[in-house]
Structures are given as structure tokens and as C-alpha cells.
Amino acid sequence: MHQLQFITDSHVIVDAGTSDDASVYKIGDDLALVQTVDYITPVVDDPYTFGEIAATNSISDIYAMGAKPLFALNIVGFPISKVPIKILEAILQGGAAKAAEASVSILGGHSVDDDEPKFGLVVTGVVHPDKVIKNSTAQAGDNLILTKPLGTGIVNTAVKAELASEESMSEAIRMMKTLNRVASEAMVKVGVNACTDVTGFGLLGHLHEMVEASGVGAKINLSQIPVITGVWKLVDDWIVPEGVHSNVEFVQEKLEWGSHLPEDAIYLLCDPQTSGGLLISVPQAKTDELIKILADANVETVTSVGEIIADKENRIYVT
Ligand code: CO
Ligand code: CO
Ligand code: CO
């Protein structure tokens, strides 16, 4: 990404320079467009559920900016001559159902013949130009709130090896299908300093982007990290996704790992998430209010998992 030439004009509020979740473009004094694109390969066997998860994952980047999603376009890759078309229809129906739950209309899209199915959305949303919640404005002293438990990548890997329990599987699916809408509306209401959603780079990867873009460091309290049922056991048995290793490499240089902590816990903190939760950087004085709103709205994991610290080296201390 660092080699890309960014072409910007004065309307641009957020571009790819800070590895944020979506682009933001000001079109008036009180209105900015927020746009994102995301598509994934199947993480579950059931096509309708895959559609729901992929749509939830795509819309999440709009919520992570504190914006309101309005409409979307489908992006589809599908082996048209090899797989029955009713599978594709089920994927699209699942996507449309989730979009409807988010009050998002799907207005069209594009598909290509592809060996491996792929599905996702281009999503357009709106936000007040002064109310954009970036990933680059975390402040020392903020608490870090994570709104979904970690472990979906590990569970998906275990499912493929037929090693996942029914309980882990259903919890992971439920989490992947949960819109970040409630969490996003809560943080907008309270007013927070920064946010990103936790997806392919894992918790530490996305936190790394946040602290680097914000010019700060962070502390993560391992014992406060919410985890999907059964995931620690899978980590113990070395059931981890391939992608975790490049995520570990991505953050390793900036990582200060507590010597008393189990080393394999890094696989959980770097586990690539599909449709993960929001990682919210909230001022200390507003933390209790945010946690209360989230808890009242039944967002399951609402403890503070760490804090932002002053550190020009952008280190992440895991304690
Ligand atoms: Co994102
Ligand atoms: Co994304
Ligand atoms: Co970088």
C-alpha cells in the first residue's frame, strides 16, 4: 500500500493513507459520502448464511467510521457452469436479508465467472463531515473497547478439519452475522476518539494500524480479551489459520509481549476475523457511559481490553 500514489482533492476527508476502513468525501458543509468495498470467499457451507456474513462484513466498514449506510451494490464471483444457480440465489438472498436488517437497499451489482465463489458489497453511507470517526485519532489515556469476541478464524479452520464443537461453530456464526450497527450507534451517541473494525489482520494488526496512524502506543490486557467458546482449546491444539502467521509478522517488531504470558496466545490476538467487532478508542471519562449503553443493548463483550498510551514508537504492550 505504501507505494500507491494517492490523488486527492480538498473534499477528501479520509483516503487510503491511514489504512482506515472506508473513504470519506465531503460533498457539502454538513454532508460527506462514505464508501467501502469488501468481498470474501465462503467461510461456512450454507450459502444463505455465507451471504448474510459477507454482507455484514462489508457494511461493517461504514459502521466503523461512525457513518450511516444507505445503499449497496453486489460483487459476485461464481462458477456459473459448475455449481447450480440456486446456490448463488441463496447467497444473494442472505446478503439482501442482512442489508435489509441494516436498512440498506441493494440497487444492483456485478458478477463474473470465477472458479471460487466470492461475495461482498460496495456500500455507500453518509456522515456529518465533523463527526467522522477515524482510526487515526486515538488519544493517550483512552480505553479500548472490543464489541465481539475473537476466534472466528480459528473456529473456521477447525470446522474445515472437522474439529470444531457445535457450540463454537454456532457462536462463531452468530457473531459473524451480527451487524455492528448497535455498537456504532452507541459510540456515535457517546462521542469517541477513534474506531476500526477487527477483520483480516486480527486484533493486533488493526490496533497496529490505529496506533501508527494516531502516533500513539497501546496496552492490551490479555485476561480481558473476550473469546469465543472453545477457542483457547483449539489454540492449545495448534488449530490456527494459515493467515495468522503473516499477521504475527506484521506486528511483531512493535510488540512487547509479557514474559509471564503463554506465547501461543499471540495466535488468538492475531487471528484473522471475518466480520469482527468494533475496536473503539474512548476517552476515560466516557467509558462507563459507552459500556452501559452497549450492555443495555445486549452487545455481549463490553469490557475494556486495554488502553492507548503515549509512545512515539507505536509499540503495543501485551500484559
Ligand atoms: Co475495516
Ligand atoms: Co473491509
Ligand atoms: Co505501515
Side-chain angles (χ1 to χ4, degrees):
M1 290 301 278
H2 292 267
Q3 293 96 312
L4 278 180
Q5 271 260 267
F6 298 117
I7 300 161
T8 60
D9 65 38
S10 62
H11 296 94
V12 175
I13 298 176
V14 176
D15 65 16
T18 47
S19 309
D20 216 325
D21 300 291
S23 55
V24 184
Y25 192 91
K26 185 173 172 174
I27 53 173
D29 284 342
D30 53 7
L31 194 63
L33 283 180
V34 185
Q35 198 158 57
T36 179
V37 54
D38 210 321
Y39 61 94
I40 56 174
T41 56
V43 288
V44 290
D45 286 336
D46 179 60
Y48 185 90
T49 307
F50 169 53
E52 290 181 294
I53 292 170
T56 305
N57 182 62
S58 295
I59 301 169
S60 175
D61 281 326
I62 301 286
Y63 289 137
M65 306 303 292
K68 177 180 155 47
L70 292 181
F71 67 92
L73 306 172
N74 288 324
I75 305 175
V76 177
F78 195 75
I80 291 156
S81 53
K82 292 177 205 144
V83 178
I85 199 74
K86 68 175 203 296
I87 302 287
L88 175 57
E89 286 165 4
I91 294 172
L92 296 179
Q93 279 164 5
K98 260 308 154 185
E101 188 186 324
S103 310
V104 167
S105 310
I106 296 180
L107 304 183
H110 186 73
S111 60
V112 292
D113 196 358
D114 196 341
D115 285 340
E116 188 179 28
K118 298 178 181 77
F119 176 58
L121 303 173
V122 176
V123 191
T124 301
V126 285
V127 68
H128 191 288
D130 303 332
K131 298 262 165 74
V132 182
I133 302 176
K134 303 175 187 176
N135 72 341
S136 54
T137 42
Q139 303 285 327
D142 286 357
N143 281 311
L144 290 168
I145 305 289
L146 178 64
T147 66
K148 286 185 191 176
L150 297 181
T152 59
I154 290 165
V155 173
N156 292 340
T157 304
V159 169
K160 281 178 196 140
E162 296 184 6
L163 291 168
S165 70
E166 194 59 46
E167 204 185 358
S168 303
M169 213 156 73
S170 61
E171 190 177 335
I173 289 173
R174 192 162 51 82
M175 284 304 138
M176 291 188 288
K177 301 201 310 196
T178 299
L179 292 170
N180 282 327
R181 178 183 196 157
V182 170
S184 177
E185 289 172 354
M187 74 171 175
V188 168
K189 187 168 175 213
V190 170
V192 304
N193 283 333
C195 177
T196 189
D197 60 347
V198 178
T199 53
F201 296 140
L203 174 68
L204 291 185
H206 291 283
L207 178 59
H208 167 71
E209 290 179 334
M210 182 185 274
V211 297
E212 198 176 67
S214 303
V216 294
K219 217 187 277 177
I220 287 291
N221 188 342
L222 182 62
S223 66
Q224 296 298 318
I225 297 289
V227 183
I228 291 170
T229 308
V231 163
W232 279 124
K233 171 82 173 67
L234 294 168
V235 171
D236 275 347
D237 295 342
W238 287 84
I239 316 289
V240 295
E242 262 311 298
V244 82
H245 301 289
S246 55
N247 283 353
V248 171
E249 263 171 56
F250 178 58
V251 298
Q252 206 145 46
E253 198 192 329
K254 297 289 184 178
L255 200 58
E256 303 288 338
W257 193 261
S259 55
H260 59 292
L261 300 175
E263 278 178 25
D264 57 4
I266 185 126
Y267 296 121
L268 177 78
L269 298 187
C270 289
D271 181 38
Q273 302 299 285
T274 300
S275 190
L278 299 183
L279 178 65
I280 303 170
S281 188
V282 57
Q284 230 160 54
K286 294 181 175 178
T287 303
D288 288 347
E289 188 188 354
L290 179 62
I291 286 179
K292 184 175 185 325
I293 295 176
L294 291 172
D296 288 349
N298 289 322
V299 175
E300 283 173 51
T301 61
V302 292
T303 50
S304 170
V305 297
E307 60 190 294
I308 296 293
I309 56 173
D311 181 22
K312 288 196 173 61
E313 301 293 321
N314 315 130
R315 278 168 297 210
I316 298 175
Y317 294 82
V318 180
T319 59

